[in-house]
Coordinates of all heavy atoms in Angstrom, one line a residue:
M52 N 5.3 0.8 -7.8 CA 4.2 0.0 -8.0 C 3.4 -0.1 -6.8 O 3.8 0.1 -5.8 CB 4.6 -1.5 -8.5 CG 5.4 -2.2 -7.5 SD 6.0 -3.8 -8.2 CE 7.3 -3.3 -9.2
A53 N 2.1 -0.5 -6.9 CA 1.3 -0.6 -5.7 C 1.8 -1.9 -4.9 O 2.6 -2.7 -5.5 CB -0.2 -0.9 -6.2
L54 N 1.4 -1.9 -3.7 CA 1.9 -3.1 -2.9 C 0.7 -4.0 -2.7 O -0.5 -3.7 -2.9 CB 2.4 -2.6 -1.5 CG 3.7 -1.6 -1.6 CD1 4.1 -1.4 -0.2 CD2 4.7 -2.2 -2.5
L55 N 1.1 -5.2 -2.4 CA 0.1 -6.3 -2.3 C 0.3 -7.0 -0.9 O 1.4 -7.2 -0.5 CB 0.4 -7.4 -3.4 CG -0.5 -8.5 -3.4 CD1 -1.8 -8.2 -3.9 CD2 0.2 -9.6 -4.4
I56 N -0.8 -7.4 -0.2 CA -0.8 -8.0 1.0 C -1.1 -9.6 0.7 O -2.0 -9.9 0.1 CB -1.9 -7.6 2.0 CG1 -1.6 -6.0 2.3 CG2 -1.9 -8.4 3.2 CD1 -2.7 -5.4 3.2
T57 N -0.1 -10.4 1.1 CA -0.2 -11.8 0.9 C -0.9 -12.5 2.0 O -1.3 -11.9 3.0 CB 1.2 -12.5 0.8 OG1 1.9 -12.3 2.1 CG2 2.1 -11.8 -0.2
E58 N -1.2 -13.9 1.8 CA -2.1 -14.6 2.7 C -1.5 -14.8 4.0 O -2.0 -15.3 4.8 CB -2.5 -15.9 1.9 CG -1.4 -16.8 1.6 CD -1.9 -18.0 0.8 OE1 -2.9 -17.9 0.4 OE2 -1.1 -18.9 0.7
E59 N -0.2 -14.4 4.3 CA 0.4 -14.5 5.5 C -0.2 -13.5 6.5 O 0.1 -13.5 7.7 CB 1.9 -14.4 5.6 CG 2.7 -15.6 5.0 CD 2.8 -15.7 3.6 OE1 3.3 -14.7 3.0 OE2 2.4 -16.7 2.9
C60 N -0.9 -12.6 6.0 CA -1.5 -11.4 6.8 C -2.3 -12.1 8.0 O -3.0 -13.1 7.9 CB -2.5 -10.6 6.0 SG -3.4 -9.4 7.0
I61 N -2.1 -11.6 9.2 CA -2.7 -12.1 10.4 C -3.8 -11.2 10.9 O -4.3 -11.3 12.1 CB -1.6 -12.2 11.6 CG1 -0.9 -11.0 11.9 CG2 -0.6 -13.4 11.2 CD1 0.0 -11.0 13.1
N62 N -4.2 -10.2 10.0 CA -5.4 -9.3 10.3 C -5.2 -8.5 11.6 O -6.1 -8.4 12.4 CB -6.6 -10.1 10.4 CG -7.1 -10.6 9.0 OD1 -7.0 -9.8 8.0 ND2 -7.6 -11.9 9.0
C63 N -3.9 -7.9 11.8 CA -3.6 -7.3 13.0 C -4.1 -5.9 13.1 O -4.1 -5.2 14.1 CB -2.2 -7.4 13.4 SG -1.1 -6.4 12.3
D64 N -4.4 -5.4 11.8 CA -5.0 -3.9 11.8 C -4.0 -2.8 12.1 O -4.2 -1.7 12.2 CB -6.2 -3.8 12.7 CG -6.9 -2.4 12.5 OD1 -7.1 -2.1 11.3 OD2 -7.2 -1.8 13.4
V65 N -2.6 -3.2 12.1 CA -1.6 -2.3 12.4 C -1.4 -1.3 11.2 O -1.1 -0.1 11.3 CB -0.2 -2.9 12.8 CG1 0.8 -1.9 12.8 CG2 -0.5 -3.5 14.2
C66 N -1.4 -1.9 10.0 CA -1.1 -1.1 8.7 C -2.2 -0.1 8.4 O -2.0 1.0 7.9 CB -0.9 -2.0 7.6 SG -2.2 -3.1 7.2
E67 N -3.5 -0.5 8.5 CA -4.6 0.3 7.9 C -4.6 1.8 8.4 O -4.7 2.7 7.6 CB -5.9 -0.5 8.3 CG -7.1 0.1 7.6 CD -7.7 1.2 8.4 OE1 -7.6 1.2 9.6 OE2 -8.4 2.1 7.7
P68 N -4.4 2.0 9.6 CA -4.5 3.5 10.0 C -3.2 4.3 9.6 O -3.1 5.6 9.6 CB -4.6 3.5 11.6 CG -4.3 2.0 12.0 CD -4.4 1.2 10.8
Q69 N -2.2 3.6 9.2 CA -0.9 4.3 8.8 C -1.0 4.7 7.4 O -0.1 5.5 6.9 CB 0.4 3.3 9.0 CG 0.5 2.8 10.4 CD 0.8 3.9 11.3 OE1 1.4 4.9 11.1 NE2 0.2 3.8 12.6
C70 N -1.8 4.2 6.6 CA -1.8 4.5 5.2 C -2.3 6.0 4.9 O -3.5 6.3 5.2 CB -2.7 3.5 4.3 SG -2.7 3.9 2.5
P71 N -1.5 6.8 4.3 CA -1.8 8.2 3.9 C -3.0 8.3 2.9 O -3.7 9.4 2.7 CB -0.7 8.9 3.6 CG 0.1 7.8 2.9 CD -0.2 6.6 3.7
N72 N -3.2 7.2 2.1 CA -4.2 7.3 1.1 C -5.5 6.5 1.3 O -6.3 6.4 0.4 CB -3.5 6.8 -0.3 CG -2.3 7.6 -0.6 OD1 -2.4 8.9 -0.5 ND2 -1.4 7.1 -1.3
E73 N -5.6 6.0 2.6 CA -6.7 5.1 2.8 C -6.9 3.9 1.8 O -7.9 3.7 1.3 CB -8.0 5.9 3.1 CG -7.9 7.0 4.1 CD -9.2 7.8 4.5 OE1 -10.1 7.4 3.8 OE2 -9.1 8.5 5.3
A74 N -5.7 3.4 1.4 CA -5.8 2.4 0.4 C -5.9 1.0 1.0 O -6.2 0.0 0.2 CB -4.4 2.5 -0.4
I75 N -5.8 0.9 2.3 CA -5.9 -0.5 3.0 C -7.2 -0.6 3.7 O -7.8 0.3 4.3 CB -4.8 -0.6 4.0 CG1 -3.4 -0.3 3.4 CG2 -4.8 -2.0 4.6 CD1 -2.2 -0.3 4.4
S76 N -7.9 -1.8 3.4 CA -9.1 -2.0 4.0 C -9.2 -3.5 4.3 O -8.4 -4.3 3.8 CB -10.3 -1.6 3.1 OG -10.2 -2.3 2.0
V77 N -10.3 -3.8 5.1 CA -10.5 -5.2 5.5 C -11.1 -5.9 4.2 O -12.2 -5.5 3.8 CB -11.5 -5.3 6.6 CG1 -11.6 -6.9 7.2 CG2 -11.0 -4.4 7.8
G78 N -10.5 -7.0 3.9 CA -11.1 -7.8 2.7 C -11.9 -9.0 3.2 O -12.1 -9.1 4.5
P79 N -12.3 -9.8 2.4 CA -13.1 -11.0 2.7 C -12.3 -11.8 3.8 O -13.0 -12.4 4.7 CB -13.4 -11.7 1.5 CG -13.0 -10.9 0.4 CD -12.1 -9.8 0.9
E80 N -11.1 -12.1 3.6 CA -10.3 -12.9 4.5 C -9.1 -12.2 5.1 O -8.9 -12.4 6.3 CB -9.8 -14.1 3.8 CG -10.9 -15.1 3.4 CD -10.5 -16.2 2.5 OE1 -9.3 -16.5 2.5 OE2 -11.4 -16.8 1.9
I81 N -8.4 -11.3 4.4 CA -7.4 -10.7 5.0 C -7.4 -9.1 4.4 O -8.3 -8.9 3.6 CB -6.0 -11.2 4.4 CG1 -6.0 -11.2 2.9 CG2 -5.6 -12.5 5.1 CD1 -4.6 -11.6 2.3
Y82 N -6.5 -8.4 5.1 CA -6.5 -6.9 4.6 C -6.0 -6.9 3.1 O -5.3 -7.7 2.6 CB -5.6 -6.1 5.5 CG -6.2 -5.6 6.8 CD1 -6.6 -6.6 7.8 CD2 -6.5 -4.4 7.1 CE1 -7.3 -6.2 8.9 CE2 -7.1 -4.0 8.2 CZ -7.5 -4.9 9.2 OH -8.1 -4.5 10.3
V83 N -6.6 -5.8 2.5 CA -6.4 -5.6 1.0 C -5.8 -4.2 0.7 O -6.3 -3.3 1.4 CB -7.6 -6.0 0.1 CG1 -7.8 -7.5 0.2 CG2 -8.7 -5.2 0.4
I84 N -5.1 -4.1 -0.3 CA -4.7 -2.7 -0.9 C -5.3 -2.5 -2.2 O -5.1 -3.3 -3.0 CB -3.1 -2.7 -0.9 CG1 -2.5 -2.9 0.5 CG2 -2.7 -1.4 -1.6 CD1 -1.0 -3.1 0.4
D85 N -5.9 -1.3 -2.2 CA -6.5 -0.8 -3.5 C -5.4 -0.3 -4.4 O -4.8 0.8 -4.0 CB -7.6 0.2 -3.2 CG -8.3 0.7 -4.5 OD1 -7.7 0.4 -5.7 OD2 -9.4 1.2 -4.4
P86 N -5.1 -0.9 -5.4 CA -3.9 -0.5 -6.3 C -4.2 1.0 -6.9 O -3.3 1.6 -7.2 CB -3.8 -1.6 -7.4 CG -5.0 -2.3 -7.4 CD -5.7 -2.2 -6.1
D87 N -5.4 1.3 -7.0 CA -5.7 2.6 -7.6 C -5.4 3.7 -6.5 O -5.3 5.0 -6.9 CB -7.2 2.7 -7.9 CG -7.6 1.9 -9.1 OD1 -6.6 1.6 -9.9 OD2 -8.6 1.4 -9.3
L88 N -5.3 3.4 -5.2 CA -5.0 4.4 -4.2 C -3.5 4.3 -3.6 O -3.1 5.3 -3.1 CB -6.0 4.2 -3.0 CG -7.5 4.4 -3.4 CD1 -8.4 4.2 -2.1 CD2 -7.7 5.8 -3.9
C89 N -3.0 3.2 -3.8 CA -1.6 3.0 -3.2 C -0.5 3.7 -4.2 O -0.4 3.4 -5.3 CB -1.2 1.5 -3.1 SG 0.5 1.2 -2.6
T90 N 0.2 4.7 -3.5 CA 1.3 5.3 -4.2 C 2.7 4.8 -3.8 O 3.6 5.4 -4.0 CB 1.2 6.8 -4.1 OG1 1.4 7.1 -2.7 CG2 -0.1 7.4 -4.5
E91 N 2.7 3.8 -3.0 CA 3.9 3.4 -2.3 C 4.3 4.4 -1.3 O 5.5 4.5 -1.1 CB 5.0 3.0 -3.3 CG 5.5 1.6 -3.2 CD 6.7 1.3 -4.1 OE1 6.4 0.9 -5.3 OE2 7.8 1.5 -3.8
C92 N 3.4 5.2 -0.9 CA 3.5 6.4 0.0 C 4.4 7.5 -0.6 O 4.6 8.5 0.1 CB 4.2 5.9 1.3 SG 3.1 5.1 2.3
K93 N 4.6 7.4 -2.0 CA 5.3 8.5 -2.6 C 4.4 9.8 -2.4 O 3.2 9.8 -2.6 CB 5.4 8.3 -4.2 CG 6.2 7.0 -4.5 CD 7.7 7.3 -4.5 CE 8.6 6.2 -4.9 NZ 9.2 5.4 -3.9
G94 N 5.1 10.9 -2.2 CA 4.4 12.2 -2.0 C 4.1 12.5 -0.5 O 3.9 13.6 -0.2
H95 N 4.1 11.4 0.3 CA 3.7 11.5 1.7 C 5.0 11.1 2.7 O 5.3 11.9 3.6 CB 2.6 10.7 2.1 CG 1.3 11.0 1.5 ND1 0.4 12.0 2.0 CD2 0.6 10.5 0.4 CE1 -0.6 12.2 1.3 NE2 -0.5 11.2 0.3
H96 N 5.6 10.1 2.2 CA 6.7 9.6 3.2 C 7.8 9.0 2.3 O 7.7 8.7 1.2 CB 6.2 8.5 4.1 CG 5.0 8.9 4.9 ND1 5.1 9.6 6.0 CD2 3.7 8.6 4.8 CE1 3.9 9.8 6.6 NE2 3.1 9.2 5.9
D97 N 9.0 8.9 3.0 CA 10.1 8.3 2.3 C 10.0 6.9 2.1 O 10.8 6.3 1.2 CB 11.4 8.7 3.0 CG 11.7 10.2 2.9 OD1 11.2 10.8 2.0 OD2 12.5 10.6 3.8
E98 N 9.3 6.2 2.9 CA 9.1 4.7 2.7 C 7.7 4.3 3.0 O 7.0 5.0 3.6 CB 10.1 4.0 3.8 CG 9.7 4.3 5.3 CD 10.4 3.5 6.3 OE1 11.2 2.6 5.9 OE2 10.3 3.8 7.5
A99 N 7.5 3.2 2.4 CA 6.1 2.6 2.5 C 5.7 2.4 3.9 O 6.4 1.5 4.6 CB 5.9 1.3 1.6
Q100 N 4.8 3.1 4.5 CA 4.4 3.0 5.9 C 3.9 1.6 6.3 O 4.2 1.1 7.4 CB 3.3 4.0 6.3 CG 3.8 5.4 6.0 CD 5.1 5.8 6.9 OE1 4.9 6.0 8.1 NE2 6.2 5.8 6.3
C101 N 3.1 1.0 5.4 CA 2.6 -0.3 5.8 C 3.6 -1.4 5.9 O 3.6 -2.2 6.8 CB 1.4 -0.8 4.8 SG 2.1 -0.8 3.0
L102 N 4.6 -1.2 5.0 CA 5.8 -2.2 5.0 C 6.5 -2.0 6.3 O 7.0 -3.0 6.9 CB 6.7 -1.9 3.8 CG 6.6 -2.7 2.6 CD1 7.7 -2.2 1.6 CD2 6.7 -4.2 2.8
A103 N 6.6 -0.7 6.7 CA 7.4 -0.5 7.9 C 6.8 -1.0 9.2 O 7.6 -1.3 10.2 CB 7.7 1.0 8.0
V104 N 5.5 -1.1 9.2 CA 4.9 -1.5 10.5 C 4.4 -3.0 10.5 O 4.2 -3.5 11.6 CB 3.6 -0.6 10.9 CG1 4.2 0.8 11.1 CG2 2.6 -0.7 9.8
C105 N 4.3 -3.7 9.4 CA 3.8 -5.0 9.3 C 4.6 -5.9 10.2 O 5.8 -6.1 9.8 CB 3.6 -5.5 7.9 SG 2.9 -7.2 7.9
P106 N 4.1 -6.5 11.1 CA 4.9 -7.5 12.0 C 5.2 -8.7 11.5 O 6.2 -9.5 11.8 CB 4.0 -7.6 13.3 CG 2.6 -7.5 12.8 CD 2.7 -6.5 11.7
V107 N 4.6 -9.2 10.4 CA 4.8 -10.4 9.8 C 5.5 -10.3 8.3 O 5.7 -11.3 7.6 CB 3.6 -11.4 9.7 CG1 3.3 -11.8 11.1 CG2 2.5 -10.8 9.0
E108 N 5.7 -9.1 7.9 CA 6.4 -8.8 6.6 C 5.6 -9.6 5.5 O 6.2 -10.3 4.6 CB 7.9 -9.2 6.6 CG 8.6 -8.4 7.6 CD 10.1 -8.7 7.7 OE1 10.6 -9.6 7.0 OE2 10.8 -8.1 8.5
C109 N 4.3 -9.3 5.4 CA 3.6 -10.1 4.4 C 3.2 -9.0 3.2 O 2.2 -9.4 2.5 CB 2.3 -10.7 5.0 SG 1.2 -9.5 5.7
I110 N 3.8 -8.0 3.2 CA 3.5 -6.9 2.1 C 4.5 -6.8 1.1 O 5.6 -6.7 1.4 CB 3.2 -5.5 2.7 CG1 2.1 -5.7 3.9 CG2 2.7 -4.5 1.6 CD1 1.8 -4.3 4.5
I111 N 4.2 -7.1 -0.2 CA 5.1 -7.3 -1.3 C 4.7 -6.3 -2.4 O 3.7 -5.9 -2.6 CB 5.3 -8.7 -1.8 CG1 4.0 -9.2 -2.3 CG2 5.8 -9.6 -0.6 CD1 4.0 -10.5 -3.0
P112 N 5.7 -6.0 -3.4 CA 5.4 -5.3 -4.5 C 4.3 -6.1 -5.3 O 4.4 -7.4 -5.5 CB 6.7 -5.2 -5.3 CG 7.7 -5.4 -4.2 CD 7.2 -6.2 -3.3
D113 N 3.3 -5.5 -5.9 CA 2.3 -6.2 -6.5 C 2.7 -6.4 -8.0 O 2.9 -5.4 -8.8 CB 1.0 -5.3 -6.6 CG -0.1 -5.9 -7.2 OD1 0.0 -7.0 -8.0 OD2 -1.3 -5.6 -7.0
P114 N 3.0 -7.6 -8.5 CA 3.5 -7.9 -9.8 C 2.6 -7.5 -10.9 O 3.0 -7.3 -12.0 CB 3.9 -9.4 -9.8 CG 3.1 -9.9 -8.7 CD 2.9 -8.8 -7.6
D115 N 1.3 -7.4 -10.6 CA 0.3 -7.1 -11.6 C 0.2 -5.5 -11.7 O -0.7 -5.1 -12.6 CB -1.1 -7.7 -11.2 CG -1.0 -9.2 -11.4 OD1 -0.2 -9.7 -12.1 OD2 -1.7 -9.9 -10.7
N116 N 0.8 -4.8 -10.8 CA 0.6 -3.4 -10.9 C 1.9 -2.7 -10.8 O 2.2 -1.8 -10.0 CB -0.4 -2.9 -9.7 CG -1.9 -3.2 -10.0 OD1 -2.4 -2.6 -10.9 ND2 -2.4 -4.2 -9.2
E117 N 2.7 -2.9 -11.8 CA 4.0 -2.3 -11.9 C 3.8 -0.9 -12.4 O 3.3 -0.6 -13.3 CB 5.0 -3.1 -12.8 CG 5.5 -4.3 -12.3 CD 6.6 -4.9 -13.0 OE1 7.5 -4.1 -13.6 OE2 6.8 -6.1 -13.1
E118 N 4.6 0.1 -11.6 CA 4.5 1.6 -12.0 C 5.8 2.2 -11.8 O 6.5 1.8 -10.8 CB 3.4 2.3 -11.2 CG 2.0 1.9 -11.5 CD 1.0 2.1 -10.3 OE1 1.2 1.5 -9.2 OE2 0.2 3.0 -10.4
S119 N 6.2 3.1 -12.6 CA 7.4 3.9 -12.4 C 7.3 4.9 -11.3 O 6.1 5.2 -10.8 CB 7.8 4.6 -13.7 OG 6.8 5.6 -13.9
E120 N 8.3 5.4 -10.9 CA 8.2 6.6 -9.9 C 7.4 7.7 -10.5 O 6.6 8.3 -9.6 CB 9.7 7.0 -9.5 CG 9.7 7.9 -8.4 CD 10.9 7.6 -7.4 OE1 11.2 6.4 -7.3 OE2 11.5 8.6 -6.9
E121 N 7.5 8.1 -11.6 CA 6.7 9.2 -12.3 C 5.3 8.9 -12.2 O 4.4 9.7 -11.8 CB 7.2 9.3 -13.7 CG 8.6 10.0 -13.9 CD 9.6 9.0 -13.7 OE1 9.4 7.7 -13.9 OE2 10.7 9.4 -13.2
E122 N 4.9 7.6 -12.5 CA 3.5 7.2 -12.4 C 3.0 7.3 -11.0 O 1.8 7.7 -10.8 CB 3.3 5.9 -13.0 CG 3.5 5.7 -14.5 CD 3.5 4.4 -15.1 OE1 4.2 3.5 -14.6 OE2 2.8 4.1 -16.1
L123 N 3.8 6.9 -10.0 CA 3.4 7.0 -8.6 C 3.0 8.4 -8.2 O 2.1 8.7 -7.6 CB 4.4 6.2 -7.8 CG 4.4 4.7 -7.9 CD1 5.6 4.2 -7.2 CD2 3.1 4.1 -7.4
F124 N 4.0 9.2 -8.6 CA 3.9 10.6 -8.2 C 2.7 11.3 -8.9 O 1.9 12.1 -8.4 CB 5.2 11.5 -8.6 CG 6.1 11.4 -7.4 CD1 7.3 10.8 -7.5 CD2 5.8 12.1 -6.1 CE1 8.2 10.7 -6.4 CE2 6.7 12.0 -5.1 CZ 7.9 11.3 -5.3
A125 N 2.4 10.9 -10.2 CA 1.2 11.3 -10.9 C -0.1 10.9 -10.3 O -1.0 11.6 -10.2 CB 1.3 10.9 -12.4
K126 N 0.0 9.6 -9.7 CA -1.2 9.1 -8.9 C -1.4 9.9 -7.7 O -2.5 10.3 -7.4 CB -1.1 7.6 -8.6 CG -2.3 6.9 -8.2 CD -1.9 5.6 -7.6 CE -1.4 4.6 -8.5 NZ -1.3 3.2 -7.9
F127 N -0.3 10.3 -7.0 CA -0.4 11.1 -5.8 C -1.0 12.4 -6.2 O -2.0 12.9 -5.4 CB 1.0 11.3 -5.2 CG 1.1 12.4 -4.2 CD1 0.6 12.3 -2.9 CD2 1.8 13.6 -4.7 CE1 0.8 13.4 -2.1 CE2 1.9 14.7 -3.7 CZ 1.4 14.5 -2.4
E128 N -0.5 13.1 -7.3 CA -1.1 14.4 -7.6 C -2.7 14.2 -7.9 O -3.5 15.1 -7.5 CB -0.4 14.9 -8.9 CG 1.0 15.1 -8.8 CD 1.4 16.4 -8.1 OE1 0.5 17.2 -8.0 OE2 2.5 16.5 -7.6
R129 N -3.0 13.2 -8.6 CA -4.4 13.0 -8.9 C -5.3 12.8 -7.7 O -6.3 13.3 -7.5 CB -4.5 11.7 -9.7 CG -5.4 11.7 -10.9 CD -5.3 10.6 -11.8 NE -5.1 9.3 -11.4 CZ -4.0 8.5 -11.7 NH1 -3.1 9.1 -12.3 NH2 -3.9 7.4 -11.1
L130 N -4.8 12.0 -6.8 CA -5.5 11.7 -5.4 C -5.6 13.0 -4.6 O -6.6 13.2 -3.9 CB -4.7 10.7 -4.7 CG -4.8 9.2 -5.3 CD1 -3.9 8.4 -4.5 CD2 -6.3 8.7 -5.3
C131 N -4.6 13.9 -4.7 CA -4.7 15.0 -3.8 C -5.2 16.2 -4.5 O -5.3 17.3 -3.9 CB -3.2 15.4 -3.3 SG -2.6 14.1 -2.2
G132 N -5.4 16.1 -5.8 CA -5.8 17.3 -6.6 C -7.2 17.6 -6.4 O -8.0 17.8 -5.8
Ligands
SF4_284 FE1 -0.8 2.8 1.8 FE2 1.7 3.5 1.5 FE3 1.1 1.0 2.0 FE4 0.5 2.0 -0.3 S1 2.6 1.7 0.5 S2 -0.9 0.8 1.0 S3 0.1 4.1 0.1 S4 0.8 2.7 3.4
SF4_285 FE1 -2.0 -7.8 7.7 FE2 0.5 -6.8 8.0 FE3 -1.5 -5.2 7.8 FE4 -1.2 -6.7 10.0 S1 0.1 -5.1 9.4 S2 -3.2 -6.3 8.9 S3 -0.4 -8.6 9.3 S4 -0.9 -6.6 6.2

């Protein structure tokens, strides 16, 4: 599933350059993840890069965007195709 940045985000900008899909951007108050672009890093890395670097651990699975591994890889193919 796509990941979600919660309001604990401190706008540190560490995650944004790590995203292979350019899914992370500055939102009105905190950074946001575009669920249409987030593949949970599938196809690029073994683990979610934003989760790995966030210093306050404010990135969680997005309950409104549940996707299977197959769907995430399909999204990766679509984005890179
Ligand atoms: Fe980007 Fe990966 Fe984080 Fe999704 S999990 S927002 S693809 S860095
Ligand atoms: Fe926010 Fe975490 Fe990204 Fe920093 S790394 S901008 S705290 S989500």
Side-chain angles (χ1 to χ4, degrees):
M52 65 186 77
L54 299 187
L55 177 72
I56 296 174
T57 65
E58 60 188 18
E59 280 91 54
C60 172
I61 55 169
N62 290 317
C63 71
D64 191 40
V65 168
C66 58
E67 189 269 334
Q69 300 300 324
C70 180
N72 296 325
E73 297 185 1
I75 304 174
S76 61
V77 185
E80 290 174 18
I81 54 171
Y82 277 68
V83 292
I84 294 175
D85 183 340
D87 292 334
L88 298 179
C89 177
T90 62
E91 239 182 271
C92 286
K93 299 275 188 255
H95 292 283
H96 302 285
D97 289 339
E98 61 174 354
Q100 298 297 288
C101 56
L102 265 182
V104 298
C105 179
V107 295
E108 298 181 1
C109 67
I110 306 175
I111 61 169
D113 184 347
D115 293 332
N116 285 292
E117 285 195 31
E118 293 156 296
S119 67
E120 190 138 324
E121 290 74 29
E122 287 171 312
L123 289 168
F124 273 110
K126 195 193 292 185
F127 163 74
E128 299 281 343
R129 223 171 34 245
L130 291 170
C131 292

